[in-house]
Amino acid sequence: MLPSSFEYHRPTTIDEALDLLASLGDDAKVLAGGQSLIPMMKLRFAAPAHLVDINRIEGLDAIEETGEELHIGALVRHNQLAGSDLIRSKYPMIAAAAPQIADPLVRNLGTIGGSLTHCDPSGDLGAVTLAANARVVLKSKDGEREVPVTEFLADTFQSSIAPNELLTKIRITSPTGAYGGTYLKLERKIGDYATVAVATRLMMSNGSIGTAGIGLTSVGLTNIKATAAEDALVGQAPSQELFAEAGRLAAAASSPVSDVRGSEQYKRHMVEVYVRRGLTRSAEMAGAA
Ligand SMILES: Cc1cc2nc3c(=O)[nH]c(=O)nc-3n(C[C@H](O)[C@H](O)[C@H](O)COP(=O)(O)OP(=O)(O)OC[C@H]3O[C@@H](n4cnc5c(N)ncnc54)[C@H](O)[C@@H]3O)c2cc1C
């Protein structure tokens, strides 16, 4: 199907984009990689009267560490994340997830900003950023605000961004001490959305777990941050019993539904298994297994 007609805007600066979003309001949609928005428009699930294409805006595609934080620009493509030396060397959970998103065509175009704003519970980067306690930076003509991803991923296909706002970057506190992380994704075939996927990370502090992060994909109405499981880990020495208990708590926090990819029970079981395996792998990377 063809999308309904729209007016196309191509700002070259953030200020220009913010002016457009302020004046066009609800009638406009930001266009990033187009990998979710264009299919939605073709199916007429979305019919914006205006598209604000942000791809010509410079400076939105950087991956850099500033002070003690990682900053990922909203226009960073999945492939760019997968190929980044900085990500590979210091952010193993993100490095594990990025190459597992979709297929090479989608990874070449799809962006982290688009992925998070689209708020698909099957999106891989939602779980990763939840596990990383990430924050998103939202800009509008009225200023800038920083929102934790836990609040940003408000509901199914519904982020908490306002129509006049542009997501400009994602901020993640850099790891310290010994740490590890990974992303385990169960998919029917390469390029598919997850049947179940789990993001895990651990940061050690004096032999105990100082920080734990667990994010779940495709097992609820949004990506899920398994906070009870995270809390159970903090302050404890890593062990298989502890990781198994965290797996049980994460599975209890999930609410999968039966579909062609598997039964509700199977998916819940896989959350338990993947959390345990992901934490074991993370602890090994941190030299704490
Ligand atoms: C065949 C296929 C397979 C896929 N498989 C997977 C998968 O396995 N895992 C996965 O995680 N994803 C998958 N995706 C989705 C893919 O990751 C998309 O790239 C992503 O969901 C949207 O990113 P985008 O840059 O293309 O955003 P767009 O499609 O351009 O935009 C998506 C939404 O976000 C808004 N938006 C985008 N950027 C901004 C911004 N900076 N500020 C404000 N609003 C913004 C848009 O207005 C729109 O509402 C798949 C997509 C396809 C087509």
Side-chain angles (χ1 to χ4, degrees), residues 21-133:
L21 293 177
S23 63
L24 299 171
D26 275 341
D27 288 339
K29 276 271 177 201
V30 169
L31 175 70
Q35 296 305 291
S36 295
L37 181 56
I38 300 295
M40 300 270 287
M41 290 172 65
K42 284 183 171 174
L43 292 166
R44 305 279 174 116
F45 289 138
H50 298 267
L51 275 191
V52 179
D53 182 345
I54 59 170
N55 285 280
R56 267 70 173 188
I57 299 177
E58 278 184 26
L60 286 180
D61 62 352
I63 304 174
E64 58 195 2
E65 269 186 329
T66 311
E68 287 161 6
E69 279 191 343
L70 172 70
H71 291 183
I72 306 175
L75 268 186
V76 166
R77 317 278 164 185
H78 307 323
N79 224 13
Q80 198 184 337
L81 268 186
S84 158
D85 288 338
L86 171 61
I87 297 293
R88 210 176 298 126
S89 65
K90 217 168 154 185
Y91 299 90
M93 177 175 65
I94 304 175
Q100 299 192 66
I101 300 172
D103 52 53
L105 293 177
V106 174
R107 286 200 293 276
N108 276 335
L109 287 167
T111 66
I112 187 167
S115 254
L116 295 180
T117 311
H118 187 52
C119 254
D120 184 340
S122 302
D124 296 297
L125 293 175
V128 167
T129 48
L130 283 173
N133 287 333

Side-chain angles (χ1 to χ4, degrees), residues 198-200 214-216 219 224-230 232-233 242-256 267-276 279:
V198 173
T200 51
I214 302 175
L216 312 179
V219 289
I224 293 169
K225 184 169 174 64
T227 45
E230 291 175 348
L233 292 163
L242 182 67
F243 294 162
E245 175 59 10
R248 283 190 286 276
L249 289 168
S254 70
S255 51
K267 292 182 186 181
R268 206 185 286 276
H269 177 66
M270 288 315 296
V271 171
E272 190 174 333
V273 171
Y274 272 15
V275 167
R276 178 163 39 80
L279 291 172

